[in-house]
Amino acid sequence: MSCYRGKYADELIKNAAYIGTPGKGILAADESTGTIGKRFESIKVENNEENRRALRELLFTAPGVLPFLSGVILFEETLYQKTAAGKPFVDVMKEGGVLPGIKVDKGTVELAGTDGETTTQGLDDMAKRCQQYYTAGARFAKWRAVLKIGPNLPSQLAINENANGLARYAIICQENGLVPIVEPEILVDGGHDIDRCADVTERVLAACYKALNDHHVLLEGTLLKPNMVTPGSDAKKVAAEVIAEYTVRALQRTMPPAVPAVVFLSGGQSEEEATVNLNAMNKLKTKKPWSLTFSYGRALQQSTLKAWAGKTENVKKAQENFHGRCKANSEATLGTYKGGAAGSEGASESLHVKDYKY
Amino acid sequence: MTAYRGKYADELIANAAYIGTPGKGILAADESTGTIGKRLSSINVENVEENRRALRELLFCAPGALQYLSGVILFEETLYQKTAAGKPFVDVLKEGGVLPGIKVDKGTVELAGTNGETTTQGLDGLAQRCQQYYAAGARFAKWRAVLKIGANEPSQLAINDNANGLARYAIICQENGLVPIVEPEILVDGPHDINKCAEVTERVLAACYKALNDHHVLLEGTLLKPNMVTPGSDAPKVTPEVVAEYTVRALQRTMPPAVPAVVFLSGGQSEEEATRNLNAMNKLKAKKPWTLSFSFGRALQQSTLKAWAGKVENVGKAQAALLTRCKANSEATLGTYQGDSALSEGASESLHVKDYKY
């Protein structure tokens, strides 16, 4: 069978391409209630709906940041929230030329018989949910699959099951007007070297693209959100140029050119690391028939959160800091980042949390 | 496991890239003894070793032709043959900057339980044979898998078995210094339209690249020899621009950029058709992170054969015909072919033979 060519095909292609506009990228602001709670704890802010709303308003209305963003991923609650003045967040974004996105998975569950490996759930009634999200203004979606590296990991079962889940999610999204971001995150946890990460990443991405083909997904209307190829968190670091070389090579070996853009996750990297690595990739002279941009959560918000600390009087300072990180990553997509952006407290702080769960 | 990184890795990468040099392509002169017999019989020439030798000498020594070629695929007998003056053909080719290649498969056999579908044999002792061929001067290999389009074809079994065979062949070649040309030919036979051909081609190529990844093949040291995406032989023709668009799109959706070049087979296309289609692809403005070139057999030799007719006094005329087609296809790889005002007899003749077996 052919790939998807239904009523949303042209719109999907257009939106996916837009998200990959050079100079722009995605703010991942889709932390679940539980996860945002952990962030709030670290700055001593209470985890209630108003605080969650206030944080997101701080981010989305920060002066001058929206031009650096093509999309923002939201958690379901946020999709329906408004500014203090009563303007729906989705309208703020649309007016700023930013596509609203929505996290649609329902977290991970363990795979029996494996060494703590997981698959992702959320397929039940997904079509209906996608329709509701589309009506509410969402135009892309995100589903996070998680794999880990170990002596016998990832197992073939984990790779197959997660790839299949991603492909099912992707086609259902497309049938309902949402560009699916395909996210097969291979956790950075471990003592392995960069070669090992490259092997695993290439195997996983090959499996994902085979599954997407099997499920008739229209690649031109998708995005990939992979990990960069790096040494494990317990192994020696390497230069940004090495990460760039290995990462781009992994993509060259597995990602068909029909996919318009890659929007990297930041994993446990610090804000500055994530920017510098992305910049190195965009400076690399080699075949790259897809945009290379960002979809950062922690690596865009960390220092901003610290600057805010939940206090109204800090909002302006926090927003300026946020602007600095957005601009830095925008430059990184063009390979023009010179370093030292909005050097706030925390920009170089590692954001690695072992066995990270959103 | 990682992709092949053994002793031949750098050489494989260099040779594969060389074959894809813009302005050059491959002459497929690997007709088996039986197949060349049919060609010789069509021009009333006896199928004996001397005539087979004479024909190949005519081709490889055609003045000015080798500059348009990066490789020539040979049948085993030819690898060890010489010019009348005693110079080994492989030396003629090497001095002309042309890599010798070798057909290594042993033809097709039927798959039980299918509707006449086949798989390709030749894996037994392949490593030893590759070593011998490498010692004799070969630097690349070819293996032809065959699929057909029908009501229920190609079946998943046929796709899987042919893809797996191609991947096994490919890694064995690489381990022994030969760049594997991966050829999953989907026969043009049938009344299906171009959309059907596109679907099938995309499914087949996705399966091939998954298998190559599974078998740890180094993509940078391979080439692809696919069919172009066209309507079936019994369906109405379309323009070269349409063939170009569908073909390039199929490759965009399935072929990782790590592969340096595509060397199209000509199937049953006439010499002129094959050249025009290749030209249209190279003129197309689209993402094409691989060279698009030719590996033509019939579509390079047809008018040459007719001009020769087995007669020594015709050699010059025949060689001129070959030069014309080589130059035309060289231009087609650059998108500069203007069309042939002085077509040789046979250049527009369809070369389609139903259910073609080499």
Side-chain angles (χ1 to χ4, degrees), chain B residues 31 38 49 58 83 86 106 119 122 130 146 155 173 182 185 235 251 260-261 272 276 279 281 298 302 315 327 344:
Chain B
E31 299 86 355
K38 292 184 221 163
E49 198 192 331
L58 184 162
T83 65
K106 295 185 173 183
T119 189
C130 286
V146 185
S155 65
C173 281
V182 173
E185 174 168 9
L251 296 171
E272 188 65 7
R276 284 181 185 278
N279 190 58
M281 282 181 225
R298 289 170 279 171
Q302 181 71 0
V315 166
K327 183 164 185 289
S344 299

Side-chain angles (χ1 to χ4, degrees), chain B residues 31-78:
Chain B
E31 299 86 355
S32 62
T33 307
T35 300
I36 200 66
K38 292 184 221 163
R39 303 283 164 77
L40 294 175
S41 124
S42 78
I43 52 169
N44 298 317
V45 172
E46 196 187 348
N47 186 12
V48 294
E49 198 192 331
E50 174 48 29
N51 285 341
R52 297 193 290 272
R53 193 208 63 74
L55 169 62
R56 273 62 180 264
E57 176 165 352
L58 184 162
L59 298 173
F60 307 159
C61 299
L66 294 191
Q67 66 183 299
Y68 299 119
L69 302 176
S70 47
V72 175
I73 320 180
L74 306 169
F75 182 60
E76 184 172 345
E77 177 187 77
T78 320

Side-chain angles (χ1 to χ4, degrees), chain B residues 103-152:
Chain B
K103 184 225 293 289
V104 302
D105 70 76
K106 295 185 173 183
T108 58
V109 290
E110 281 202 17
L111 285 166
T114 67
N115 180 20
E117 292 182 291
T118 64
T119 189
T120 299
Q121 50 182 18
L123 291 175
D124 300 348
L126 181 61
Q128 286 72 29
R129 294 169 53 225
C130 286
Q131 285 158 28
Q132 287 161 10
Y133 295 144
Y134 186 93
R139 289 297 177 268
F140 70 95
K142 188 208 93 173
W143 171 290
R144 178 174 178 255
V146 185
L147 294 148
K148 63 177 183 178
I149 295 178
N152 301 301

Side-chain angles (χ1 to χ4, degrees), chain A residues 27 29 40 43 45 50-66 69 78 81-84 89 92 300-323 326:
Chain A
L27 163 64
F40 280 173
I43 51 168
V45 170
E50 173 49 30
N51 283 339
R52 294 193 292 272
R53 192 208 62 73
L55 169 62
R56 273 60 180 265
E57 176 165 355
L58 184 161
L59 298 172
F60 307 158
T61 63
V65 305
L66 295 191
L69 302 177
T78 321
Q81 286 181 327
K82 306 174 173 148
T83 65
F89 283 155
V92 172
L300 265 174
Q301 299 178 56
Q302 181 70 3
S303 49
T304 301
L305 260 172
K306 283 199 140 113
W308 177 48
K311 301 186 163 74
T312 328
E313 59 268 31
N314 291 341
V315 166
K316 185 163 179 295
K317 185 173 76 148
Q319 288 182 324
E320 280 165 7
N321 184 76
F322 185 55
H323 177 273
C326 288

